[in-house]
Amino acid sequence: MIDAVTTEWASQLGRWIHVIAAVAWIGSSFYFIALDLSLRKREGLPKGVGGETWQVHGGGFYRMQKYLVAPPELPSELTWFRWESYATWLTGFFLIVWIYYVQADLYTVDPAKLALAPWQAALVGIGALALSWLVYDGLCKSPLGKNDVALGAVLFGFIIAMNVAFLQVFSDRAAFLHTGAMIATWMSASVFLVIIPNQKIVVADLKAGREPDPKLGRQAKQRSLHNNYLTLPVLFLMLGTHYPLAWTSAYAPAIVAMVIVAGALVRHFFNTMHAGKGYVWWTWGGAAAALALAAFLSVAGRPSFETVDWNAGADRPEAQTAAFQEAMLVVQGRCAMCHATEPGWPGLASAPKGVRFESPDDVIRHAGAIRAQSVLTDAMPPNNITEMTPDERRIVATWLAERDAR
């Protein structure tokens, strides 16, 4: 009981803090991209200023100027935008450890693909995130990094290749999540290891009376540009773990590709608009077409009843007990019409969160979630729409108590 409560609250508080940090990071990032693109050159600007813009907000007027490299003198007060990025990544890393590694048997390991121990899943996941950063950083610093279009194409291919690799090792849901976490790692590591360090070098040069190297600003701007175009796809991949239709499809890598294209097109519209270059409305059509194709692929590649192993786990000692068999009947009678490969409940295209109760192994694997949703609380079935009785909840509780006693 304590474990279930701790798991539930740690997950909810972790997500809450993660979202707060992400809102702060994305908000400041989008604002500064829009600010940078709205700058205009005018007569009488101070030396070194590349442009300025006037803005109005909250009843006041703001005059914003940007130095292409650095001001001739460092101001006494300087605001650094970095904690938002660090807090977002750290809270996200906590969640991936707490949910996908501590509870790897439930969310990450798919025995049909690779029977990993939880520590092995964690090692593979963290190692892949670290290795992907080395590849990304190396590509940006290579001669390829001088061509933004070519670099973007290679990185696009690398993201899809990593999604395919994750699918060979992890559950479909975990593969989707790790793809998003990988991109998020690039974004935050760019702030921590490139953007902020480069700015600190510029500050040190100013204090020492040296002329800052313009290359440092260009490197930081390239990483900021990547972060700008990758933000929306990362949000989709993270939120998408709650909507199985995309990641359970056999065409999941193609769906990831379409989401990246759609997100990049939407950002391109706003970037062009903020730069004063007009409204490129075709980007919305392109984004809609990409998402429509993603939706089509999610249905075309969905699993079928032919892939269901109805007897999986039936030979386990736990599945042979009378308490489990009674609980299994309750779960299948009250929950399986929604939690199935092809849900029988109208309006559901796939099992909520990808959780299915079609075999003894399915029910045993999700024992913790069943306890939290149907024994400790009456959250499931929602609004008790299948009329699960108190006696039936006690039957499930009896099985869980027996399970805990082992």
Side-chain angles (χ1 to χ4, degrees), residues 20-105:
I20 291 171
V23 168
W25 184 18
I26 294 170
S28 62
S29 175
F30 280 8
Y31 170 73
F32 277 103
I33 288 291
L35 173 63
D36 192 62
L37 293 171
S38 67
L39 295 170
R40 301 290 181 267
K41 291 184 178 181
R42 296 187 177 93
E43 294 287 338
L45 291 177
K47 182 180 179 182
V49 172
E52 72 170 11
T53 185
W54 284 80
Q55 299 181 358
V56 60
H57 179 74
F61 291 87
Y62 298 81
R63 185 181 185 181
M64 318 296 288
Q65 296 181 339
K66 178 183 178 179
Y67 286 86
L68 295 177
V69 179
E73 294 182 3
L74 194 66
S76 59
E77 295 183 6
L78 188 61
T79 301
W80 294 79
F81 290 86
R82 53 188 176 184
W83 73 264
E84 301 93 338
S85 169
Y86 304 161
T88 301
W89 190 87
L90 288 171
T91 52
F93 186 71
F94 164 77
L95 287 172
I96 201 173
V97 170
W98 182 255
I99 297 173
Y100 286 87
Y101 299 153
V102 174
Q103 304 173 69
D105 288 340

Coordinates of all heavy atoms in Angstrom, one line a residue, residues 20-105:
I20 N 6.0 22.5 -15.0 CA 6.3 23.9 -14.7 C 7.6 24.4 -15.3 O 7.7 25.5 -15.9 CB 6.3 24.1 -13.1 CG1 4.9 23.9 -12.5 CG2 6.9 25.5 -12.7 CD1 4.9 23.8 -11.0
A21 N 8.6 23.6 -15.1 CA 10.0 23.9 -15.6 C 9.9 24.0 -17.2 O 10.5 24.9 -17.8 CB 11.0 22.9 -15.2
A22 N 9.2 23.1 -17.8 CA 9.1 23.1 -19.3 C 8.4 24.3 -19.8 O 8.8 24.9 -20.8 CB 8.4 21.8 -19.7
V23 N 7.3 24.7 -19.1 CA 6.6 25.9 -19.5 C 7.5 27.1 -19.5 O 7.6 27.9 -20.4 CB 5.4 26.1 -18.7 CG1 4.8 27.5 -18.9 CG2 4.3 25.1 -19.0
A24 N 8.3 27.2 -18.4 CA 9.2 28.3 -18.3 C 10.3 28.3 -19.4 O 10.6 29.3 -19.9 CB 9.9 28.3 -16.9
W25 N 10.9 27.1 -19.6 CA 11.9 27.0 -20.6 C 11.4 27.3 -22.0 O 11.9 28.1 -22.8 CB 12.5 25.6 -20.6 CG 13.7 25.5 -21.5 CD1 14.5 26.4 -22.1 CD2 14.3 24.2 -22.0 NE1 15.5 25.9 -22.9 CE2 15.4 24.5 -22.8 CE3 14.0 22.9 -21.7 CZ2 16.2 23.5 -23.4 CZ3 14.8 21.9 -22.3 CH2 15.8 22.2 -23.1
I26 N 10.3 26.6 -22.4 CA 9.8 26.8 -23.7 C 9.3 28.2 -23.9 O 9.5 28.8 -25.0 CB 8.6 25.8 -24.0 CG1 9.1 24.4 -24.0 CG2 7.9 26.1 -25.3 CD1 8.1 23.3 -24.0
G27 N 8.7 28.8 -22.9 CA 8.2 30.2 -23.0 C 9.3 31.2 -23.3 O 9.2 32.0 -24.2
S28 N 10.4 31.1 -22.5 CA 11.5 32.0 -22.7 C 12.2 31.7 -24.0 O 12.6 32.6 -24.7 CB 12.5 31.9 -21.5 OG 13.1 30.6 -21.4
S29 N 12.3 30.4 -24.4 CA 13.0 30.1 -25.7 C 12.2 30.7 -26.8 O 12.8 31.3 -27.7 CB 13.1 28.6 -25.8 OG 13.6 28.2 -27.0
F30 N 10.9 30.4 -26.9 CA 10.1 31.0 -28.0 C 10.1 32.5 -28.0 O 10.1 33.1 -29.1 CB 8.6 30.5 -27.9 CG 8.4 29.0 -28.3 CD1 9.5 28.3 -28.7 CD2 7.2 28.5 -28.5 CE1 9.3 27.0 -29.2 CE2 7.0 27.2 -28.9 CZ 8.1 26.4 -29.3
Y31 N 10.1 33.1 -26.8 CA 10.1 34.5 -26.8 C 11.4 35.1 -27.4 O 11.3 36.0 -28.2 CB 10.0 35.1 -25.3 CG 10.2 36.5 -25.2 CD1 9.3 37.5 -25.7 CD2 11.4 37.0 -24.7 CE1 9.5 38.8 -25.7 CE2 11.7 38.4 -24.7 CZ 10.7 39.3 -25.2 OH 11.0 40.6 -25.1
F32 N 12.5 34.5 -27.0 CA 13.8 35.1 -27.5 C 14.0 34.8 -29.0 O 14.7 35.6 -29.7 CB 15.0 34.6 -26.6 CG 15.2 35.4 -25.4 CD1 14.8 34.9 -24.2 CD2 15.8 36.6 -25.4 CE1 14.9 35.6 -23.0 CE2 15.9 37.4 -24.3 CZ 15.5 36.9 -23.1
I33 N 13.5 33.7 -29.5 CA 13.5 33.4 -30.9 C 12.7 34.5 -31.6 O 13.2 35.1 -32.6 CB 13.0 32.0 -31.2 CG1 14.0 31.0 -30.8 CG2 12.8 31.9 -32.7 CD1 15.3 30.9 -31.6
A34 N 11.5 34.8 -31.1 CA 10.7 35.8 -31.8 C 11.3 37.2 -31.6 O 11.3 38.0 -32.6 CB 9.3 35.8 -31.1
L35 N 11.9 37.5 -30.5 CA 12.6 38.7 -30.3 C 13.8 38.9 -31.3 O 13.9 39.9 -31.9 CB 13.1 38.8 -28.9 CG 14.0 40.0 -28.5 CD1 13.2 41.4 -28.7 CD2 14.5 39.9 -27.1
D36 N 14.6 37.8 -31.4 CA 15.8 37.9 -32.3 C 15.3 38.1 -33.7 O 16.0 38.9 -34.4 CB 16.5 36.6 -32.1 CG 17.9 36.7 -32.8 OD1 18.7 37.5 -32.3 OD2 18.1 35.9 -33.8
L37 N 14.3 37.5 -34.1 CA 13.8 37.6 -35.5 C 13.1 38.9 -35.8 O 13.1 39.4 -37.0 CB 12.9 36.5 -35.9 CG 13.5 35.1 -35.9 CD1 12.4 34.0 -36.1 CD2 14.5 35.0 -37.0
S38 N 12.7 39.6 -34.8 CA 11.9 40.9 -35.0 C 12.9 42.1 -34.9 O 12.4 43.2 -35.2 CB 10.9 41.0 -33.9 OG 11.4 41.2 -32.6
L39 N 14.1 41.9 -34.7 CA 15.1 43.0 -34.6 C 15.3 43.7 -35.9 O 15.4 43.0 -37.0 CB 16.4 42.5 -34.0 CG 16.4 42.0 -32.6 CD1 17.8 41.3 -32.3 CD2 16.1 43.2 -31.6
R40 N 15.3 45.0 -36.0 CA 15.5 45.7 -37.2 C 16.6 46.8 -37.0 O 16.8 47.4 -36.0 CB 14.2 46.5 -37.6 CG 13.0 45.6 -37.8 CD 13.1 44.7 -39.0 NE 11.9 43.9 -39.2 CZ 11.8 42.6 -38.7 NH1 12.8 42.1 -38.0 NH2 10.7 41.9 -38.9
K41 N 17.4 46.9 -38.1 CA 18.5 48.0 -38.1 C 17.9 49.3 -38.3 O 17.0 49.5 -39.2 CB 19.5 47.6 -39.2 CG 20.3 46.4 -38.9 CD 21.4 46.2 -40.0 CE 22.3 45.0 -39.6 NZ 23.3 44.8 -40.7
R42 N 18.3 50.3 -37.5 CA 17.8 51.7 -37.6 C 19.0 52.6 -37.5 O 20.1 52.3 -37.0 CB 16.8 52.0 -36.6 CG 15.5 51.1 -36.7 CD 14.4 51.6 -35.7 NE 13.2 50.8 -35.9 CZ 12.9 49.7 -35.3 NH1 13.7 49.2 -34.3 NH2 11.7 49.1 -35.5
E43 N 18.7 53.9 -37.9 CA 19.8 54.9 -37.8 C 20.0 55.2 -36.3 O 19.1 55.2 -35.5 CB 19.3 56.2 -38.5 CG 19.2 56.1 -40.0 CD 20.6 56.0 -40.7 OE1 21.5 56.5 -40.0 OE2 20.7 55.5 -41.8
G44 N 21.2 55.5 -36.0 CA 21.6 55.9 -34.6 C 21.7 54.9 -33.6 O 21.8 55.2 -32.4
L45 N 21.8 53.6 -34.0 CA 22.0 52.6 -33.0 C 23.4 52.6 -32.5 O 24.3 52.9 -33.2 CB 21.7 51.2 -33.7 CG 20.2 50.9 -34.0 CD1 20.1 49.5 -34.7 CD2 19.3 50.9 -32.8
P46 N 23.6 52.2 -31.2 CA 24.9 52.2 -30.7 C 25.8 51.2 -31.4 O 25.4 50.3 -32.1 CB 24.7 51.7 -29.2 CG 23.3 52.0 -28.9 CD 22.6 51.9 -30.2
K47 N 27.1 51.4 -31.3 CA 28.1 50.6 -32.1 C 28.0 49.2 -31.6 O 27.9 48.9 -30.4 CB 29.5 51.1 -31.8 CG 30.6 50.3 -32.6 CD 32.0 50.9 -32.3 CE 33.0 50.1 -33.0 NZ 34.4 50.6 -32.7
G48 N 28.0 48.2 -32.5 CA 27.9 46.8 -32.2 C 26.5 46.3 -32.1 O 26.3 45.1 -32.0
V49 N 25.5 47.2 -32.1 CA 24.1 46.7 -32.0 C 23.6 46.3 -33.4 O 23.7 47.1 -34.3 CB 23.2 47.8 -31.4 CG1 21.7 47.4 -31.5 CG2 23.5 48.1 -29.9
G50 N 23.1 45.1 -33.5 CA 22.6 44.6 -34.8 C 21.2 45.0 -35.2 O 20.8 44.9 -36.3
G51 N 20.4 45.4 -34.2 CA 19.1 45.8 -34.4 C 18.3 46.0 -33.1 O 18.8 45.7 -32.0
E52 N 17.1 46.6 -33.3 CA 16.3 46.8 -32.1 C 14.8 46.6 -32.4 O 14.5 46.6 -33.6 CB 16.5 48.2 -31.5 CG 15.9 49.3 -32.3 CD 16.0 50.7 -31.6 OE1 16.6 50.7 -30.6 OE2 15.4 51.6 -32.1
T53 N 14.0 46.5 -31.4 CA 12.6 46.4 -31.6 C 11.9 47.0 -30.4 O 12.4 46.9 -29.3 CB 12.1 44.9 -31.9 OG1 10.7 44.9 -32.2 CG2 12.4 44.1 -30.6
W54 N 10.7 47.5 -30.7 CA 9.9 48.0 -29.6 C 8.7 47.1 -29.3 O 8.1 46.6 -30.2 CB 9.3 49.4 -29.9 CG 10.4 50.5 -29.8 CD1 11.3 50.8 -30.8 CD2 10.5 51.5 -28.8 NE1 12.1 51.9 -30.3 CE2 11.6 52.3 -29.1 CE3 9.9 51.7 -27.6 CZ2 12.0 53.4 -28.3 CZ3 10.3 52.7 -26.7 CH2 11.3 53.5 -27.1
Q55 N 8.4 46.9 -28.0 CA 7.4 45.9 -27.7 C 6.5 46.6 -26.6 O 7.0 47.4 -25.8 CB 7.9 44.6 -27.2 CG 8.8 43.9 -28.2 CD 9.3 42.6 -27.7 OE1 9.1 42.2 -26.6 NE2 10.0 41.9 -28.6
V56 N 5.3 46.2 -26.5 CA 4.4 46.7 -25.5 C 3.7 45.5 -24.8 O 3.3 44.5 -25.4 CB 3.3 47.6 -26.1 CG1 2.4 46.8 -27.1 CG2 2.4 48.1 -25.0
H57 N 3.7 45.5 -23.5 CA 3.1 44.4 -22.7 C 2.8 44.9 -21.3 O 3.6 45.6 -20.7 CB 4.1 43.2 -22.6 CG 3.6 42.1 -21.8 ND1 2.6 41.2 -22.3 CD2 3.9 41.6 -20.6 CE1 2.4 40.3 -21.4 NE2 3.1 40.5 -20.4
G58 N 1.7 44.5 -20.8 CA 1.3 44.8 -19.4 C 1.2 46.3 -19.2 O 1.5 46.8 -18.0
G59 N 0.9 47.1 -20.2 CA 0.7 48.5 -20.0 C 2.0 49.3 -20.1 O 2.0 50.5 -19.8
G60 N 3.1 48.7 -20.5 CA 4.4 49.4 -20.6 C 5.0 49.1 -21.9 O 4.7 48.2 -22.6
F61 N 6.0 50.0 -22.3 CA 6.7 49.9 -23.5 C 8.2 49.5 -23.2 O 8.8 49.9 -22.2 CB 6.7 51.2 -24.2 CG 5.4 51.7 -24.8 CD1 4.5 52.3 -24.0 CD2 5.0 51.3 -26.1 CE1 3.3 52.7 -24.5 CE2 3.8 51.7 -26.6 CZ 2.9 52.4 -25.7
Y62 N 8.7 48.6 -24.1 CA 10.0 48.0 -23.9 C 10.8 48.3 -25.2 O 10.3 48.0 -26.3 CB 10.0 46.5 -23.6 CG 9.2 46.2 -22.3 CD1 7.9 46.1 -22.3 CD2 9.9 45.9 -21.2 CE1 7.2 45.8 -21.2 CE2 9.3 45.6 -20.0 CZ 7.9 45.5 -20.0 OH 7.2 45.2 -18.9
R63 N 12.1 48.8 -25.0 CA 12.9 49.0 -26.1 C 14.1 47.9 -26.0 O 14.9 47.9 -25.1 CB 13.6 50.4 -26.1 CG 14.4 50.7 -27.3 CD 15.0 52.1 -27.2 NE 15.7 52.5 -28.4 CZ 16.3 53.6 -28.6 NH1 16.3 54.6 -27.6 NH2 16.9 53.9 -29.7
M64 N 14.1 47.0 -27.0 CA 15.0 45.8 -26.9 C 16.1 46.0 -28.0 O 15.8 46.3 -29.2 CB 14.2 44.5 -27.2 CG 12.9 44.4 -26.5 SD 13.0 44.4 -24.7 CE 13.7 42.8 -24.4
Q65 N 17.3 45.9 -27.6 CA 18.4 46.0 -28.5 C 19.3 44.7 -28.4 O 19.5 44.2 -27.2 CB 19.3 47.2 -28.3 CG 18.5 48.5 -28.5 CD 19.4 49.7 -28.3 OE1 20.4 49.7 -27.6 NE2 19.0 50.9 -28.8
K66 N 19.9 44.3 -29.5 CA 20.8 43.1 -29.4 C 22.2 43.5 -29.9 O 22.3 44.0 -31.1 CB 20.2 42.0 -30.2 CG 21.2 40.7 -30.2 CD 20.6 39.6 -31.0 CE 21.6 38.4 -31.0 NZ 21.1 37.3 -31.8
Y67 N 23.2 43.2 -29.1 CA 24.6 43.3 -29.6 C 25.0 42.0 -30.3 O 24.8 40.9 -29.8 CB 25.5 43.6 -28.4 CG 25.4 45.0 -27.8 CD1 24.5 45.3 -26.9 CD2 26.3 46.0 -28.3 CE1 24.3 46.5 -26.4 CE2 26.2 47.2 -27.7 CZ 25.2 47.5 -26.8 OH 25.1 48.8 -26.3
L68 N 25.6 42.2 -31.5 CA 25.9 41.0 -32.3 C 26.9 40.1 -31.6 O 26.9 38.9 -31.8 CB 26.4 41.5 -33.7 CG 25.4 42.2 -34.6 CD1 26.0 42.7 -35.9 CD2 24.2 41.3 -34.8
V69 N 27.8 40.7 -30.9 CA 28.8 40.0 -30.2 C 28.7 40.2 -28.7 O 28.3 39.3 -27.9 CB 30.3 40.3 -30.6 CG1 31.3 39.4 -29.8 CG2 30.4 40.0 -32.1
A70 N 29.0 41.5 -28.3 CA 28.8 41.8 -26.9 C 28.9 43.4 -26.8 O 29.5 44.0 -27.6 CB 30.0 41.2 -26.0
P71 N 28.4 43.9 -25.7 CA 28.5 45.4 -25.5 C 29.9 45.8 -25.1 O 30.7 44.9 -24.7 CB 27.5 45.6 -24.3 CG 27.5 44.3 -23.5 CD 27.6 43.3 -24.6
P72 N 30.3 47.0 -25.4 CA 31.6 47.4 -25.0 C 32.0 47.3 -23.6 O 33.1 47.1 -23.2 CB 31.7 48.9 -25.5 CG 30.2 49.3 -25.6 CD 29.5 48.1 -25.9
E73 N 30.9 47.5 -22.7 CA 31.1 47.3 -21.3 C 30.1 46.4 -20.7 O 28.9 46.5 -21.1 CB 31.0 48.7 -20.6 CG 32.2 49.7 -21.0 CD 32.0 51.0 -20.2 OE1 31.1 51.1 -19.4 OE2 32.8 51.9 -20.5
L74 N 30.5 45.6 -19.8 CA 29.6 44.6 -19.2 C 28.7 45.3 -18.2 O 29.2 46.1 -17.3 CB 30.3 43.5 -18.5 CG 29.5 42.3 -18.1 CD1 29.0 41.6 -19.4 CD2 30.4 41.3 -17.3
P75 N 27.3 45.2 -18.2 CA 26.5 45.8 -17.2 C 26.7 45.2 -15.9 O 27.1 44.1 -15.7 CB 25.1 45.5 -17.8 CG 25.2 44.3 -18.6 CD 26.6 44.4 -19.2
S76 N 26.3 46.0 -14.8 CA 26.5 45.5 -13.5 C 25.5 44.3 -13.1 O 25.8 43.5 -12.3 CB 26.2 46.6 -12.5 OG 24.9 47.2 -12.7
E77 N 24.4 44.3 -13.8 CA 23.4 43.2 -13.6 C 23.1 42.5 -14.9 O 22.9 43.2 -15.9 CB 22.1 43.7 -13.0 CG 22.3 44.3 -11.6 CD 21.0 44.7 -10.9 OE1 19.9 44.4 -11.6 OE2 21.0 45.3 -9.9
L78 N 23.2 41.2 -14.9 CA 23.0 40.4 -16.1 C 22.2 39.2 -15.8 O 22.5 38.4 -14.9 CB 24.4 40.0 -16.7 CG 24.4 39.3 -18.1 CD1 23.8 40.2 -19.1 CD2 25.8 38.8 -18.4
T79 N 21.1 39.0 -16.5 CA 20.2 37.9 -16.3 C 20.6 36.7 -17.2 O 20.7 36.9 -18.4 CB 18.7 38.3 -16.5 OG1 18.4 39.3 -15.6 CG2 17.8 37.1 -16.3
W80 N 20.8 35.6 -16.6 CA 21.1 34.4 -17.3 C 19.9 33.5 -17.4 O 19.2 33.2 -16.4 CB 22.2 33.6 -16.7 CG 23.5 34.3 -16.7 CD1 23.9 35.3 -15.8 CD2 24.6 34.1 -17.6 NE1 25.2 35.7 -16.1 CE2 25.7 35.0 -17.2 CE3 24.9 33.2 -18.6 CZ2 26.9 35.0 -17.8 CZ3 26.1 33.3 -19.3 CH2 27.1 34.2 -18.9
F81 N 19.6 33.0 -18.6 CA 18.4 32.1 -18.8 C 19.0 30.7 -18.9 O 19.4 30.3 -20.0 CB 17.6 32.5 -20.0 CG 16.8 33.8 -19.8 CD1 17.4 35.0 -20.1 CD2 15.5 33.7 -19.4 CE1 16.7 36.2 -19.9 CE2 14.8 34.9 -19.2 CZ 15.4 36.1 -19.4
R82 N 19.0 30.0 -17.8 CA 19.6 28.6 -17.9 C 18.8 27.6 -16.9 O 18.7 26.5 -17.2 CB 21.0 28.6 -17.5 CG 21.4 29.3 -16.2 CD 22.9 29.5 -16.1 NE 23.2 30.3 -14.9 CZ 24.4 30.6 -14.5 NH1 25.4 30.3 -15.3 NH2 24.7 31.3 -13.4
W83 N 18.4 28.1 -15.8 CA 17.8 27.2 -14.8 C 16.6 26.5 -15.4 O 16.3 25.4 -15.0 CB 17.4 28.0 -13.5 CG 16.2 28.9 -13.6 CD1 16.2 30.2 -13.9 CD2 14.8 28.5 -13.6 NE1 14.9 30.7 -13.9 CE2 14.0 29.6 -13.7 CE3 14.2 27.2 -13.3 CZ2 12.6 29.6 -13.7 CZ3 12.8 27.2 -13.3 CH2 12.0 28.4 -13.5
E84 N 15.8 27.2 -16.3 CA 14.6 26.6 -16.9 C 15.0 25.3 -17.6 O 14.3 24.3 -17.5 CB 14.0 27.6 -17.9 CG 13.5 28.9 -17.2 CD 14.6 30.0 -17.3 OE1 15.8 29.6 -17.5 OE2 14.2 31.2 -17.3
S85 N 16.1 25.4 -18.4 CA 16.5 24.2 -19.2 C 17.0 23.1 -18.2 O 16.6 21.9 -18.4 CB 17.7 24.6 -20.1 OG 18.3 23.5 -20.7
Y86 N 17.8 23.4 -17.2 CA 18.4 22.4 -16.3 C 17.3 21.8 -15.5 O 17.3 20.5 -15.4 CB 19.4 23.1 -15.4 CG 20.5 23.8 -16.1 CD1 21.3 24.7 -15.4 CD2 20.9 23.6 -17.4 CE1 22.3 25.4 -16.0 CE2 21.9 24.2 -18.0 CZ 22.6 25.1 -17.3 OH 23.7 25.8 -17.9
A87 N 16.3 22.6 -15.0 CA 15.2 22.0 -14.2 C 14.4 21.1 -15.1 O 13.9 20.1 -14.6 CB 14.4 23.1 -13.6
T88 N 14.1 21.5 -16.3 CA 13.3 20.6 -17.2 C 13.9 19.3 -17.4 O 13.3 18.2 -17.3 CB 13.1 21.3 -18.5 OG1 12.4 22.6 -18.3 CG2 12.2 20.4 -19.4
W89 N 15.2 19.3 -17.7 CA 15.9 18.0 -17.9 C 16.0 17.2 -16.7 O 15.8 15.9 -16.7 CB 17.3 18.2 -18.5 CG 17.9 16.9 -19.0 CD1 17.8 16.4 -20.3 CD2 18.7 16.0 -18.3 NE1 18.4 15.2 -20.3 CE2 19.0 14.9 -19.1 CE3 19.2 16.0 -17.0 CZ2 19.8 13.9 -18.7 CZ3 20.0 15.0 -16.5 CH2 20.3 13.9 -17.4
L90 N 16.4 17.8 -15.6 CA 16.6 17.0 -14.3 C 15.3 16.4 -13.9 O 15.2 15.2 -13.4 CB 17.1 17.9 -13.2 CG 18.6 18.3 -13.4 CD1 19.0 19.4 -12.4 CD2 19.5 17.1 -13.3
T91 N 14.2 17.1 -13.9 CA 12.9 16.6 -13.5 C 12.4 15.5 -14.5 O 11.8 14.5 -14.1 CB 11.8 17.6 -13.4 OG1 11.7 18.4 -14.6 CG2 12.1 18.6 -12.2
G92 N 12.7 15.7 -15.8 CA 12.4 14.7 -16.8 C 13.2 13.4 -16.6 O 12.7 12.3 -16.7
F93 N 14.5 13.6 -16.2 CA 15.3 12.4 -15.9 C 14.8 11.7 -14.7 O 14.8 10.4 -14.7 CB 16.8 12.9 -15.7 CG 17.7 11.7 -15.6 CD1 18.1 10.9 -16.7 CD2 18.3 11.4 -14.4 CE1 18.9 9.8 -16.5 CE2 19.2 10.4 -14.2 CZ 19.5 9.6 -15.3
F94 N 14.4 12.4 -13.7 CA 13.8 11.8 -12.5 C 12.6 10.9 -12.9 O 12.5 9.8 -12.5 CB 13.3 12.8 -11.5 CG 12.4 12.3 -10.5 CD1 12.9 11.5 -9.4 CD2 11.0 12.5 -10.6 CE1 12.0 10.9 -8.5 CE2 10.1 11.9 -9.7 CZ 10.6 11.2 -8.6
L95 N 11.7 11.5 -13.8 CA 10.6 10.7 -14.2 C 10.9 9.5 -15.0 O 10.3 8.4 -14.8 CB 9.6 11.6 -15.0 CG 8.9 12.7 -14.3 CD1 8.2 13.6 -15.2 CD2 7.9 12.0 -13.3
I96 N 11.9 9.6 -15.9 CA 12.2 8.4 -16.7 C 12.9 7.3 -15.8 O 12.7 6.1 -16.1 CB 13.2 8.8 -17.9 CG1 13.1 7.8 -19.0 CG2 14.6 9.0 -17.4 CD1 13.9 8.1 -20.2
V97 N 13.6 7.7 -14.8 CA 14.2 6.8 -13.9 C 13.1 6.1 -13.0 O 13.0 4.9 -12.9 CB 15.3 7.4 -13.0 CG1 15.7 6.5 -11.9 CG2 16.5 7.8 -13.8
W98 N 12.2 7.0 -12.4 CA 11.2 6.6 -11.5 C 10.2 5.7 -12.2 O 9.7 4.7 -11.6 CB 10.5 7.8 -10.9 CG 9.5 7.4 -9.9 CD1 8.1 7.5 -10.0 CD2 9.7 6.9 -8.5 NE1 7.5 7.1 -8.9 CE2 8.4 6.7 -7.9 CE3 10.8 6.6 -7.8 CZ2 8.3 6.3 -6.6 CZ3 10.7 6.2 -6.5 CH2 9.4 6.0 -5.9
I99 N 9.8 6.0 -13.4 CA 8.7 5.3 -14.1 C 9.2 4.2 -15.0 O 8.8 3.1 -15.0 CB 7.8 6.3 -14.9 CG1 7.1 7.3 -13.9 CG2 6.8 5.5 -15.7 CD1 6.4 8.4 -14.7
Y100 N 10.2 4.5 -15.8 CA 10.6 3.6 -16.9 C 11.8 2.7 -16.5 O 12.1 1.7 -17.1 CB 11.0 4.4 -18.1 CG 9.7 4.9 -18.8 CD1 9.2 6.1 -18.5 CD2 9.1 4.1 -19.8 CE1 8.0 6.5 -19.1 CE2 8.0 4.5 -20.4 CZ 7.4 5.7 -20.1 OH 6.3 6.1 -20.7
Y101 N 12.5 3.0 -15.4 CA 13.6 2.2 -14.9 C 13.3 1.4 -13.6 O 13.4 0.2 -13.5 CB 14.9 2.9 -14.8 CG 15.4 3.6 -16.1 CD1 16.1 4.7 -16.1 CD2 15.0 3.0 -17.3 CE1 16.6 5.3 -17.3 CE2 15.4 3.6 -18.5 CZ 16.2 4.8 -18.5 OH 16.6 5.3 -19.7
V102 N 12.8 2.2 -12.6 CA 12.3 1.5 -11.4 C 11.2 0.6 -11.7 O 11.1 -0.5 -11.1 CB 12.0 2.6 -10.3 CG1 11.4 1.9 -9.1 CG2 13.2 3.4 -9.9
Q103 N 10.3 1.0 -12.5 CA 9.1 0.1 -12.9 C 9.3 -0.4 -14.3 O 8.4 -0.5 -15.1 CB 7.9 1.0 -12.8 CG 7.6 1.6 -11.4 CD 6.4 2.5 -11.4 OE1 5.3 2.1 -11.5 NE2 6.7 3.8 -11.3
A104 N 10.5 -0.8 -14.6 CA 10.9 -1.3 -16.0 C 10.1 -2.5 -16.4 O 9.7 -2.6 -17.6 CB 12.4 -1.6 -16.1
D105 N 9.8 -3.4 -15.5 CA 9.0 -4.6 -15.8 C 7.6 -4.2 -16.4 O 7.1 -5.0 -17.2 CB 8.8 -5.5 -14.6 CG 10.2 -6.2 -14.2 OD1 11.0 -6.2 -15.1 OD2 10.3 -6.6 -13.1

